[in-house]
Amino acid sequence: MSLTRADVEKVSLLGRLLLSDAELDTMTTQLTRVVGYVEQLGEVNTDGIEPMAHAVEMHNVFRDDALAASLTRDAALANAPKRDSECYRVPAVLGE
Amino acid sequence: MPDHPYDLIVGLETHVQLLTDSKLFCGCSTAFGAPPNTQTCPVCIGLPGSLPVMNREAFRLGLVAAIALNCEIPQFTKWDRKQYYYPDLPKGYQISQYDLPMSQKGWLEISDPKGRFAAKKVGIIRAHLEEDAGKSLHDEAAGKADSRIDLNRTGTPLLEIVSAPDIRSTEETRAYLTELKLLLTYLNVSDCNMQEGSLRVDANVNIHIHTPQGKIATPIVEIKNLNSFRFIERALAYEAKRQFDAWQETGRKMGDPGTFKQTRGWDDAEGVTFSQREKEESSDYRYFPDPDLCPVRTPTAEVQKVRGGLAELPAAIRHRLEKSHGITPYDSDVIVAQGRPLVDYYEEVARIGGDGKKAANWVTQELLRVLNERNWSLAQFPLTAAALGELVKLVVAGEIEITRAKEVFNDMVAHKRSAGESMAALGIAKVDTSELEAICREIVAANPKIVADVKAGKQQAVGALVGQAKKKNPNANPNDVRRICLEIIGGM
């Protein structure tokens, strides 16, 4: 499978990345190589092997419904690029 | 409904918050109303190196709801990442379920005690377990520059219940949501408090237009975040009309090139829906299995165990009350809609009072009137079921007539007294038959004109005597007075 430039443009939009024309060319070439590399897995014969949903053969890992300490507000907000005394501040969200 | 040439087609996506103490994947509290950003931790705000671990109780509550909704429970289920960028979604993805949800293919039966639509089963396509996002707060004072983000709600367990597009009117929509809400509160799965956002609804709606050439479907619109039943009804009515008008104007129908599923919001102040975006295709969410979470296997025995332990469901209770107490669907609906405590209360009143219908009248009329007037919960109501049952018993036995019984009821509520105590306090006692006859003879003798009227065939003239009898003894039973007076006059 080969990626088209349009595929890469779409993915960059979904990832909220603004790429220049030159970057789009580079990414199309590089991503095609990455996908091709992963596609080698398709050469393995998997007839009769049940599909897995997870890499580890474990299931039903639960915790009890018990409270644990939360972060203090200051600790939670410590890495925010912008904050006030209570909240994270982000550029205004449109359409709501 | 049809004063217009189309059918309304509605499917609902309902999100309910599950009644757990802690969040879905971490130990932060789910309590509503805490100061912003005081209930978060590295897991729920997605700090590097943190790992989610599933809350056992959240999964169990999801299972209980799904089984009560008659869903199939697959033996294997897993969680996926749904990727999108939004400031209230700190990880950049929501942990949800994509192709292998924990339940599917169920149904919920709806009916209308007023008979506006026939009882029907609304299909449930799936119910899956996912995490909630945070909240954007709007800061009017700070102007339009910033949005403020509170992540307390992030990671709260949600059950998303997706109905089939089986709903055909605003009445059916309300009935579906009312029944779903009742079911989930009876099961203690969710408090379904809409004011606090514990129950949120998105509606998928379009119309099927009848034309001489056949049926035409308009493009589907999803209306987001409908926060009250009234909003939902208004939004659906508006949207149906809007789609019909749009079709008349443009002729565009579902599946035409360039038509997509559209997302619209509801503006209640303006009474209109407004376009938010053309729906992204589901592949745009780039779902993939969450490698941080292990899948869950649910053996059949586990499903059986949960099914066996289910609380009695609202529909079953209504049916039982109608059958064993002989009450109307309307009364059983009113009683069950108030919640399990009132059902138990009513059944005790009926048992002691000895008459299910009279007990239902007292509970749905007098008791609920008092609760409404005082804004009380049943727990605050001063009379035990046994005390009200005793009063009903006296009425059933004819010891006290209905108007006086209501006075007794009000006195019982006001002074927290038993029926006997209130009757004594109000001077109410059943009048001895011989005394009653003496009173009747006396007033008949004193009213020759009325006697003449009755003898001339005007039976209703005897009504004037009832008032006079009550003046002589307020406890005189009007029916008895009427009967005895007519007997006396008849024998004259």
Side-chain angles (χ1 to χ4, degrees):
Chain A
M1 173 196 163
S2 174
L3 281 179
T4 65
R5 215 182 127 96
D7 291 331
V8 178
E9 264 189 282
K10 184 179 172 188
V11 172
S12 66
L13 174 73
L14 292 174
R16 302 294 185 265
L17 296 171
L18 189 61
L19 301 181
S20 69
D21 279 356
E23 285 169 330
L24 268 178
D25 288 339
T26 310
M27 293 315 287
T28 305
T29 312
Q30 292 186 352
L31 277 175
T32 300
R33 256 187 248 143
V34 171
V35 170
Y37 178 72
V38 175
E39 275 192 335
Q40 290 180 60
L41 289 172
E43 294 165 18
V44 180
N45 184 348
T46 55
D47 290 350
I49 295 177
E50 211 181 307
M52 297 168 72
H54 200 271
V56 184
E57 275 296 294
M58 285 175 73
H59 51 79
N60 297 40
V61 177
F62 290 112
R63 43 172 277 274
D64 288 335
D65 181 24
L67 294 181
S70 293
L71 292 172
T72 63
R73 180 193 281 151
D74 274 336
L77 297 178
N79 292 327
K82 197 172 179 190
R83 56 167 288 190
D84 57 30
S85 61
E86 294 184 320
C87 288
Y88 303 86
R89 281 190 169 268
V90 299
V93 183
L94 297 175
E96 276 226 310
Chain B
M1 173 175 82
D3 48 349
H4 40 61
Y6 56 77
D7 296 323
L8 179 66
I9 312 291
V10 178
L12 298 173
E13 292 173 18
T14 311
H15 292 85
V16 294
Q17 286 183 358
L18 302 179
L19 278 175
T20 56
D21 292 331
S22 66
K23 292 185 179 180
L24 185 51
F25 300 119
C26 64
C28 291
S29 169
T30 56
F32 179 83
N37 295 303
T38 56
Q39 291 174 175
T40 68
C41 76
V43 173
C44 58
I45 59 176
L47 297 186
S50 59
L51 276 177
V53 185
M54 176 92 52
N55 182 332
R56 187 192 314 275
E57 177 66 1
F59 184 79
R60 190 190 70 82
L61 291 173
L63 208 55
V64 165
I67 290 171
L69 288 166
N70 307 291
C71 287
E72 293 172 9
I73 310 297
Q75 297 204 6
F76 182 91
T77 185
K78 70 170 171 73
W79 278 262
D80 304 274
R81 292 183 178 181
K82 178 181 181 177
Q83 341 268 332
Y84 63 94
Y85 280 100
Y86 208 75
D88 62 14
L89 188 72
K91 297 195 296 295
Y93 60 87
Q94 176 193 28
I95 302 177
S96 182
Q97 299 200 277
Y98 183 51
D99 56 337
L100 297 172
M102 64 179 293
S103 72
Q104 59 193 359
K105 295 182 194 156
W107 49 266
L108 177 66
E109 183 159 357
I110 57 169
S111 60
D112 181 18
K114 292 185 190 144
R116 286 167 302 183
F117 60 85
K120 70 192 278 188
K121 286 178 181 172
V122 175
I124 304 292
I125 295 173
R126 59 191 280 163
H128 70 246
L129 186 58
E130 64 182 24
E131 59 176 344
D132 207 344
K135 272 185 202 165
S136 305
L137 307 174
H138 298 285
D139 188 357
E140 306 290 334
K144 293 174 178 66
D146 284 343
S147 287
R148 306 175 69 221
I149 307 294
D150 170 13
L151 296 182
N152 281 348
R153 199 176 66 181
T154 308
T156 296
L158 292 180
L159 193 68
E160 176 173 337
I161 301 161
V162 183
S163 92
D166 290 345
I167 298 167
R168 291 290 174 275
S169 65
T170 51
E171 288 83 10
E172 289 186 14
T173 303
R174 179 177 277 264
Y176 171 84
L177 290 170
T178 305
E179 191 65 12
L180 184 62
K181 192 175 157 183
L182 203 59
L183 182 78
L184 297 174
T185 49
Y186 266 75
L187 291 168
N188 255 329
V189 162
S190 173
D191 63 19
C192 295
N193 183 329
M194 292 184 91
Q195 284 78 37
E196 296 182 359
S198 301
L199 185 152
R200 309 195 289 274
V201 181
D202 301 334
N204 286 292
V205 52
N206 75 341
I207 56 175
H208 288 175
I209 303 163
H210 307 292
T211 73
Q213 289 73 43
K215 201 172 70 181
I216 289 176
T218 53
I220 295 175
V221 165
E222 180 175 6
I223 312 174
K224 283 284 199 192
N225 282 327
L226 294 162
N227 296 328
S228 80
F229 284 15
R230 199 181 60 89
F231 284 15
I232 295 165
E233 287 177 331
R234 292 190 69 200
L236 289 178
Y238 174 86
E239 185 59 23
K241 172 97 171 45
R242 189 196 66 79
Q243 290 187 17
F244 184 66
D245 292 348
W247 172 76
Q248 285 192 310
E249 197 175 310
T250 67
R252 288 182 91 184
K253 55 187 190 297
M254 190 197 283
D256 281 351
T259 55
F260 298 100
K261 185 171 161 183
Q262 197 188 52
T263 303
R264 298 179 74 87
W266 171 247
D267 181 337
D268 198 62
E270 294 290 320
V272 297
T273 61
F274 58 93
S275 180
Q276 289 181 316
R277 62 187 154 97
E278 302 279 309
K279 182 87 169 176
E280 292 166 55
E281 293 301 311
S282 67
S283 65
D284 280 0
Y285 288 123
R286 292 155 295 147
Y287 282 99
F288 68 83
D290 192 319
D292 288 346
L293 284 164
C294 293
V296 170
R297 289 182 185 277
T298 315
T300 315
E302 174 76 15
V303 175
Q304 299 297 359
K305 200 176 124 195
V306 172
R307 182 171 286 131
L310 279 189
E312 193 184 15
L313 303 181
I317 299 174
R318 281 191 288 259
H319 186 69
R320 183 166 61 76
L321 295 187
E322 289 158 30
K323 254 188 111 165
S324 59
H325 297 290
I327 63 175
T328 61
Y330 183 85
D331 279 343
S332 71
D333 190 62
V334 170
I335 292 169
V336 171
Q338 299 291 322
R340 183 76 211 199
L342 191 75
V343 172
D344 295 338
Y345 189 101
Y346 160 73
E347 291 207 87
E348 182 73 355
V349 174
R351 191 181 65 77
I352 292 174
D355 185 322
K357 286 184 193 171
K358 285 208 166 67
N361 290 344
W362 282 90
V363 167
T364 62
Q365 291 164 27
E366 299 306 312
L367 185 152
L368 288 183
R369 174 183 57 78
V370 171
L371 297 192
N372 283 337
E373 282 172 4
R374 315 272 174 105
N375 203 13
W376 275 345
S377 71
L378 181 62
Q380 291 168 288
F381 186 68
L383 303 185
T384 63
L388 182 55
E390 286 299 330
L391 176 62
V392 173
K393 194 172 164 185
L394 292 171
V395 175
V396 171
E399 294 291 320
I400 176 171
E401 50 100 5
I402 195 78
T403 1
R404 301 237 71 187
K406 287 182 182 174
E407 290 171 35
V408 171
F409 174 84
N410 290 334
D411 184 81
M412 289 168 74
V413 172
H415 299 104
K416 245 190 129 169
R417 288 201 269 241
S418 72
E421 287 164 351
S422 286
M423 284 171 72
L426 295 171
I428 297 173
K430 195 180 183 196
V431 186
D432 177 81
T433 311
S434 60
E435 187 193 338
L436 199 57
E437 282 174 2
I439 292 172
C440 290
R441 266 195 295 277
E442 202 178 314
I443 52 176
V444 166
N447 291 280
K449 180 162 186 327
I450 290 174
V451 171
D453 285 347
V454 173
K455 283 211 166 264
K458 276 177 69 184
Q459 289 235 330
Q460 67 272 28
V462 83
L465 299 180
V466 174
Q468 295 192 23
K470 288 208 86 150
K471 261 183 212 151
K472 290 196 182 291
N473 186 332
N475 293 320
N477 181 312
N479 288 332
D480 290 346
V481 171
R482 194 171 285 115
R483 180 177 50 76
I484 296 169
C485 288
L486 285 173
E487 277 171 16
I488 297 170
I489 296 168
M492 283 166 84

